[in-house]
Amino acid sequence: NNLRVTLQKGLNNFAHVWDSYLYEFHAFVNFGKSVKLLDKPAGSRFSSLIQFAVFESEGGIIPDRAVITSAKLKLYKSSYYDHVYRAHPLLSPWLESEVTWKESQLAVFWNQAGAVGIGTDIDSQFDGEASVLWNPGWLVMDVTQGVQAIQNGRPNFGWKLVPVSGNNNTKTFVSSVYAEDPTLRPALEIEYLL
């Protein structure tokens, strides 16, 4: 019997979602309380991070012994401009209230500013890839293998949204503290068997 659950901040009192964006021009400013996540690949760069506690052993709600059949990472783009993105696993812990372009936590520096170090800040392999259209709408990435890897012991430090190709203008995504329409907050939709 396939069970389905949506991990989203505020939905069924679920709280364990953390996100922030990093901004190159304000390299030591934290944006963890922002209602938006920004992305821009070149020029003055913005970059976004997101993390969910998934399994019971890490404070999530999915039973540790569940068989994960599907996992979809969903981010709502509230702005225009199309792009292709990948979700790369982060390789070190970061704190929503402290993370900046330069630091993952207070006085703990990324290997490369902006968490761009392949194999040091983010995994060289990505868990999912998807495109988002020009108009506002959902970016939906299949991260099933990534969630299975977390269940099998890979540390869960969440994902970095890595732009692959498309328009270089700033894209705005809704963050987990967006209050106007909580249904647009980042979500991780998981299907599993027990």
Side-chain angles (χ1 to χ4, degrees):
N1 198 9
N2 223 19
L3 301 163
R4 179 179 292 181
V5 68
T6 299
L7 306 181
Q8 189 177 47
K9 194 167 213 158
L11 183 65
N12 301 319
N13 295 318
F14 188 72
H16 303 305
V17 184
W18 304 275
D19 54 27
S20 186
Y21 69 89
L22 319 177
Y23 185 19
E24 188 173 24
F25 278 12
H26 291 287
F28 287 101
V29 178
N30 170 262
F31 296 99
K33 287 185 165 65
S34 174
V35 297
K36 59 193 175 188
L37 300 171
L38 298 178
D39 176 80
K40 189 172 189 287
S44 59
R45 291 176 290 172
F46 294 104
S47 193
S48 294
L49 315 178
I50 183 145
Q51 181 180 5
F52 298 80
V54 180
F55 297 98
E56 285 177 343
S57 56
E58 52 172 349
I61 56 177
I62 307 293
D64 292 332
R65 60 186 175 82
V67 177
I68 304 298
T69 55
S70 170
K72 289 188 174 73
L73 174 62
K74 299 178 66 178
L75 298 170
Y76 188 78
K77 181 174 66 77
S78 56
S79 68
Y80 290 93
Y81 311 120
D82 54 311
H83 218 85
V84 177
Y85 288 101
R86 288 175 179 164
H88 282 259
L90 283 144
L91 296 178
S92 54
W94 54 280
L95 291 173
E96 182 184 64
S97 60
E98 297 178 3
V99 68
T100 67
W101 183 263
K102 293 278 196 184
E103 301 165 311
S104 57
Q105 304 173 53
L106 214 54
V108 180
F109 287 82
W110 294 112
N111 190 67
Q112 287 179 251
V116 297
I118 301 286
T120 52
D121 298 316
I122 57 171
D123 201 310
S124 59
Q125 304 296 311
F126 54 92
D127 285 345
E129 177 180 293
S131 57
V132 67
L133 300 175
W134 185 271
N135 289 332
W138 288 97
L139 171 67
V140 181
M141 279 195 258
D142 186 330
V143 293
T144 307
Q145 286 182 305
V147 171
Q148 290 167 342
I150 290 165
Q151 185 179 33
N152 292 326
R154 185 181 87 189
N156 178 11
F157 302 128
W159 292 283
K160 181 184 179 193
L161 197 59
V162 176
V164 179
S165 63
N167 190 293
N168 186 53
N169 288 323
T170 303
K171 269 73 70 186
T172 304
F173 292 87
V174 167
S175 89
S176 62
V177 292
Y178 183 76
E180 224 169 287
D181 184 353
T183 65
L184 298 181
R185 290 172 179 173
L188 189 59
E189 282 184 2
I190 295 180
E191 293 183 24
Y192 63 96
L193 301 165
L194 279 180

Coordinates of all heavy atoms in Angstrom, one line a residue, residues 13-63:
N13 N 1.6 20.7 11.0 CA 2.5 21.1 12.1 C 4.0 20.7 11.8 O 4.8 20.6 12.7 CB 2.1 20.5 13.5 CG 0.8 21.2 13.9 OD1 0.6 22.4 13.7 ND2 -0.1 20.4 14.4
F14 N 4.3 20.3 10.6 CA 5.7 19.9 10.3 C 6.6 21.2 10.3 O 6.2 22.2 9.7 CB 5.8 19.2 8.9 CG 7.1 18.7 8.6 CD1 7.6 17.5 9.3 CD2 8.0 19.3 7.7 CE1 8.8 17.0 9.0 CE2 9.2 18.7 7.4 CZ 9.6 17.6 8.0
A15 N 7.7 21.1 11.0 CA 8.5 22.3 11.2 C 9.9 22.2 10.6 O 10.6 23.1 10.5 CB 8.6 22.7 12.7
H16 N 10.3 20.9 10.3 CA 11.7 20.7 10.0 C 12.1 20.9 8.6 O 12.6 20.0 7.9 CB 12.1 19.3 10.5 CG 11.8 19.0 11.9 ND1 12.4 19.8 12.9 CD2 11.1 18.1 12.6 CE1 12.0 19.4 14.1 NE2 11.2 18.3 13.9
V17 N 12.0 22.2 8.2 CA 12.4 22.6 6.8 C 13.3 23.9 7.0 O 12.9 24.7 7.8 CB 11.2 23.0 5.9 CG1 11.8 23.3 4.5 CG2 10.2 21.8 5.8
W18 N 14.5 23.9 6.4 CA 15.4 25.0 6.5 C 15.8 25.5 5.1 O 16.1 24.6 4.3 CB 16.6 24.7 7.4 CG 16.2 24.1 8.7 CD1 16.0 24.8 9.8 CD2 16.1 22.7 9.1 NE1 15.6 24.0 10.9 CE2 15.7 22.7 10.4 CE3 16.2 21.5 8.3 CZ2 15.4 21.5 11.1 CZ3 15.9 20.4 9.0 CH2 15.6 20.3 10.4
D19 N 15.8 26.8 4.9 CA 16.3 27.2 3.6 C 16.8 28.7 3.8 O 16.6 29.4 4.7 CB 15.2 27.2 2.5 CG 13.9 27.9 2.9 OD1 14.0 28.8 3.7 OD2 12.8 27.5 2.4
S20 N 17.6 29.0 2.8 CA 18.2 30.4 2.8 C 18.8 30.6 1.4 O 19.0 29.6 0.7 CB 19.3 30.5 3.8 OG 19.8 31.9 3.9
Y21 N 19.1 31.8 1.1 CA 19.9 32.1 -0.1 C 21.2 32.8 0.3 O 21.3 33.4 1.3 CB 19.1 32.8 -1.2 CG 18.8 34.3 -0.9 CD1 19.6 35.3 -1.2 CD2 17.6 34.6 -0.3 CE1 19.3 36.6 -1.0 CE2 17.2 36.0 0.0 CZ 18.1 37.0 -0.4 OH 17.8 38.3 -0.1
L22 N 22.2 32.6 -0.6 CA 23.5 33.2 -0.4 C 23.6 34.3 -1.4 O 23.2 34.2 -2.6 CB 24.6 32.2 -0.6 CG 24.3 30.8 0.0 CD1 25.5 29.9 -0.4 CD2 24.1 30.9 1.5
Y23 N 24.2 35.4 -1.0 CA 24.4 36.6 -2.0 C 25.8 37.1 -2.0 O 26.4 37.5 -1.0 CB 23.4 37.7 -1.5 CG 23.4 38.9 -2.4 CD1 23.8 38.9 -3.7 CD2 22.9 40.1 -1.9 CE1 23.7 40.0 -4.6 CE2 22.8 41.3 -2.7 CZ 23.2 41.2 -4.1 OH 23.2 42.3 -4.9
E24 N 26.4 37.0 -3.2 CA 27.8 37.3 -3.3 C 28.2 38.7 -2.9 O 29.3 38.9 -2.3 CB 28.2 37.1 -4.8 CG 29.6 37.2 -5.1 CD 29.9 36.9 -6.6 OE1 29.0 37.0 -7.4 OE2 31.1 36.5 -6.8
F25 N 27.3 39.7 -3.1 CA 27.7 41.1 -2.8 C 27.5 41.4 -1.3 O 27.9 42.4 -0.9 CB 26.8 42.1 -3.7 CG 27.4 42.3 -5.0 CD1 28.4 41.5 -5.5 CD2 27.0 43.3 -5.8 CE1 29.0 41.6 -6.8 CE2 27.5 43.5 -7.1 CZ 28.5 42.7 -7.6
H26 N 26.7 40.6 -0.6 CA 26.6 40.7 0.8 C 27.1 39.4 1.4 O 26.3 38.6 2.0 CB 25.2 41.0 1.3 CG 24.7 42.4 0.8 ND1 25.2 43.5 1.4 CD2 23.9 42.8 -0.2 CE1 24.6 44.6 0.8 NE2 23.9 44.2 -0.1
A27 N 28.4 39.2 1.3 CA 29.0 37.9 1.5 C 28.9 37.4 3.0 O 29.0 36.2 3.2 CB 30.5 37.9 1.1
F28 N 28.7 38.3 3.9 CA 28.6 37.9 5.3 C 27.2 38.2 5.9 O 27.0 38.3 7.1 CB 29.7 38.5 6.2 CG 31.0 38.0 5.9 CD1 32.0 38.6 5.1 CD2 31.4 36.7 6.5 CE1 33.2 38.1 4.9 CE2 32.7 36.2 6.3 CZ 33.6 36.9 5.5
V29 N 26.2 38.4 5.0 CA 24.8 38.6 5.5 C 24.0 37.3 5.4 O 24.1 36.7 4.3 CB 24.2 39.8 4.6 CG1 22.7 40.0 5.1 CG2 25.0 41.0 4.8
N30 N 23.3 37.1 6.4 CA 22.4 35.9 6.4 C 21.0 36.2 6.0 O 20.4 37.2 6.4 CB 22.4 35.3 7.8 CG 21.3 34.2 8.0 OD1 20.2 34.4 8.4 ND2 21.6 33.0 7.5
F31 N 20.4 35.4 5.1 CA 19.1 35.6 4.6 C 18.1 34.5 4.9 O 17.1 34.3 4.3 CB 19.1 35.8 3.0 CG 19.9 37.0 2.6 CD1 21.3 36.8 2.2 CD2 19.4 38.3 2.6 CE1 22.0 37.9 1.8 CE2 20.1 39.4 2.2 CZ 21.4 39.2 1.8
G32 N 18.4 33.8 6.0 CA 17.6 32.7 6.5 C 16.1 33.1 6.8 O 15.3 32.2 6.8
K33 N 15.9 34.3 7.2 CA 14.5 34.7 7.5 C 13.7 35.3 6.3 O 12.6 35.7 6.5 CB 14.5 35.8 8.7 CG 14.9 35.2 10.0 CD 14.8 36.3 11.1 CE 14.8 35.7 12.5 NZ 16.1 35.0 12.8
S34 N 14.3 35.3 5.2 CA 13.7 35.9 4.0 C 12.5 35.0 3.5 O 12.5 33.8 3.6 CB 14.7 36.0 2.8 OG 14.1 36.4 1.7
V35 N 11.5 35.7 3.0 CA 10.3 35.0 2.5 C 10.6 34.5 1.1 O 9.7 33.8 0.5 CB 9.0 35.9 2.5 CG1 8.7 36.3 3.9 CG2 9.2 37.1 1.6
K36 N 11.8 34.8 0.5 CA 12.1 34.3 -0.8 C 13.5 33.7 -0.9 O 14.3 33.9 0.0 CB 12.0 35.5 -1.8 CG 12.9 36.6 -1.5 CD 12.5 37.8 -2.3 CE 13.4 39.0 -1.9 NZ 13.0 40.3 -2.5
L37 N 13.7 32.9 -1.9 CA 15.0 32.3 -2.2 C 15.3 32.9 -3.6 O 14.5 32.9 -4.5 CB 14.9 30.8 -2.3 CG 14.5 30.1 -1.0 CD1 14.2 28.6 -1.3 CD2 15.5 30.3 0.1
L38 N 16.6 33.3 -3.7 CA 17.0 33.9 -5.0 C 18.0 33.1 -5.7 O 18.9 32.5 -5.0 CB 17.5 35.4 -4.8 CG 16.6 36.4 -4.2 CD1 17.2 37.7 -3.9 CD2 15.3 36.5 -5.0
D39 N 18.0 33.1 -7.0 CA 19.0 32.4 -7.8 C 19.4 33.3 -9.0 O 18.6 33.8 -9.7 CB 18.4 31.1 -8.3 CG 19.5 30.4 -9.2 OD1 20.4 29.8 -8.7 OD2 19.4 30.5 -10.4
K40 N 20.7 33.4 -9.2 CA 21.3 34.0 -10.3 C 22.7 33.5 -10.6 O 23.5 33.5 -9.7 CB 21.4 35.6 -10.1 CG 21.7 36.4 -11.4 CD 21.6 37.9 -11.1 CE 21.7 38.7 -12.3 NZ 23.1 38.7 -12.8
P41 N 22.9 32.9 -11.8 CA 24.2 32.1 -12.0 C 25.4 33.0 -12.2 O 26.5 32.6 -11.8 CB 23.9 31.4 -13.3 CG 22.4 31.5 -13.5 CD 22.0 32.7 -12.9
A42 N 25.3 34.2 -12.8 CA 26.5 35.0 -13.2 C 26.3 36.4 -12.8 O 25.2 36.9 -12.6 CB 26.8 34.8 -14.6
G43 N 27.4 37.2 -12.8 CA 27.3 38.6 -12.4 C 27.3 38.6 -10.9 O 28.1 38.0 -10.2
S44 N 26.4 39.3 -10.3 CA 26.2 39.3 -8.8 C 25.4 38.1 -8.5 O 24.2 38.0 -8.8 CB 25.5 40.5 -8.3 OG 24.3 40.7 -8.9
R45 N 26.0 37.0 -8.0 CA 25.4 35.7 -7.9 C 24.5 35.6 -6.6 O 24.9 36.0 -5.5 CB 26.5 34.6 -7.9 CG 27.1 34.5 -9.3 CD 28.3 33.5 -9.3 NE 29.4 34.0 -8.5 CZ 30.5 33.2 -8.2 NH1 30.5 31.9 -8.6 NH2 31.5 33.7 -7.5
F46 N 23.4 34.9 -6.8 CA 22.6 34.4 -5.7 C 22.5 32.9 -5.8 O 22.5 32.3 -6.9 CB 21.1 34.9 -5.9 CG 20.9 36.4 -5.7 CD1 20.7 37.2 -6.8 CD2 20.9 37.0 -4.5 CE1 20.5 38.5 -6.7 CE2 20.7 38.3 -4.3 CZ 20.5 39.1 -5.4
S47 N 22.4 32.2 -4.7 CA 22.3 30.8 -4.7 C 21.5 30.3 -3.5 O 21.5 30.9 -2.4 CB 23.7 30.2 -4.6 OG 23.7 28.8 -4.9
S48 N 20.7 29.2 -3.7 CA 19.8 28.8 -2.7 C 20.1 27.4 -2.1 O 20.5 26.5 -2.8 CB 18.3 28.8 -3.2 OG 17.9 30.2 -3.5
L49 N 19.8 27.3 -0.8 CA 20.0 26.0 -0.1 C 18.7 25.6 0.5 O 17.9 26.4 1.0 CB 21.0 26.1 1.0 CG 22.3 26.8 0.7 CD1 23.2 26.8 2.0 CD2 23.1 26.1 -0.4
I50 N 18.4 24.3 0.6 CA 17.2 23.8 1.3 C 17.4 22.4 1.9 O 18.2 21.6 1.4 CB 16.0 23.7 0.3 CG1 14.7 23.3 1.1 CG2 16.3 22.8 -0.9 CD1 13.5 23.9 0.6
Q51 N 16.8 22.2 3.1 CA 17.0 21.0 3.8 C 15.7 20.6 4.5 O 15.0 21.4 5.0 CB 18.1 21.2 4.8 CG 18.5 19.9 5.6 CD 19.6 20.2 6.7 OE1 20.0 21.3 6.8 NE2 20.0 19.1 7.3
F52 N 15.4 19.3 4.4 CA 14.3 18.7 5.1 C 14.8 17.6 6.0 O 15.6 16.8 5.6 CB 13.3 18.1 4.1 CG 12.7 19.0 3.1 CD1 13.4 19.4 2.0 CD2 11.4 19.5 3.3 CE1 12.8 20.2 1.0 CE2 10.8 20.3 2.3 CZ 11.5 20.7 1.2
A53 N 14.2 17.5 7.3 CA 14.4 16.3 8.1 C 13.4 15.3 7.5 O 12.2 15.6 7.5 CB 14.1 16.6 9.5
V54 N 13.9 14.2 7.0 CA 13.0 13.2 6.3 C 12.6 12.1 7.2 O 11.4 11.8 7.5 CB 13.7 12.7 5.1 CG1 12.8 11.7 4.3 CG2 14.1 13.8 4.1
F55 N 13.6 11.4 7.8 CA 13.3 10.1 8.5 C 13.2 10.4 10.0 O 13.7 11.4 10.5 CB 14.4 9.1 8.2 CG 14.4 8.7 6.8 CD1 15.3 9.3 5.9 CD2 13.5 7.8 6.3 CE1 15.3 8.9 4.5 CE2 13.5 7.4 4.9 CZ 14.4 8.0 4.1
E56 N 12.5 9.5 10.7 CA 12.2 9.6 12.1 C 13.5 9.8 12.9 O 13.6 10.6 13.9 CB 11.4 8.4 12.6 CG 9.9 8.5 12.2 CD 9.1 7.3 12.7 OE1 9.7 6.3 13.0 OE2 7.9 7.4 12.6
S57 N 14.6 9.1 12.5 CA 15.8 9.1 13.2 C 16.5 10.5 13.2 O 17.4 10.8 13.9 CB 16.8 8.1 12.7 OG 17.0 8.2 11.3
E58 N 16.1 11.4 12.2 CA 16.6 12.7 12.1 C 15.6 13.8 12.4 O 15.8 14.9 12.0 CB 17.2 12.9 10.7 CG 16.3 12.6 9.6 CD 16.8 13.0 8.2 OE1 17.8 13.7 8.1 OE2 16.2 12.6 7.2
G59 N 14.5 13.4 13.0 CA 13.4 14.4 13.4 C 12.3 14.5 12.4 O 11.5 15.3 12.5
G60 N 12.4 13.7 11.3 CA 11.3 13.7 10.3 C 10.2 12.8 10.7 O 10.0 12.4 11.8
I61 N 9.3 12.5 9.7 CA 8.1 11.7 10.0 C 8.1 10.4 9.2 O 7.2 9.6 9.4 CB 6.8 12.6 9.7 CG1 6.8 13.1 8.3 CG2 6.7 13.7 10.7 CD1 5.5 13.9 8.0
I62 N 9.0 10.2 8.2 CA 9.0 9.0 7.5 C 9.7 7.9 8.3 O 10.8 8.1 8.8 CB 9.8 9.1 6.2 CG1 9.3 10.3 5.4 CG2 9.7 7.8 5.3 CD1 7.9 10.2 4.8
P63 N 9.0 6.7 8.5 CA 9.6 5.7 9.3 C 10.9 5.2 8.7 O 11.1 5.2 7.5 CB 8.6 4.5 9.2 CG 7.3 5.2 8.9 CD 7.6 6.4 8.1

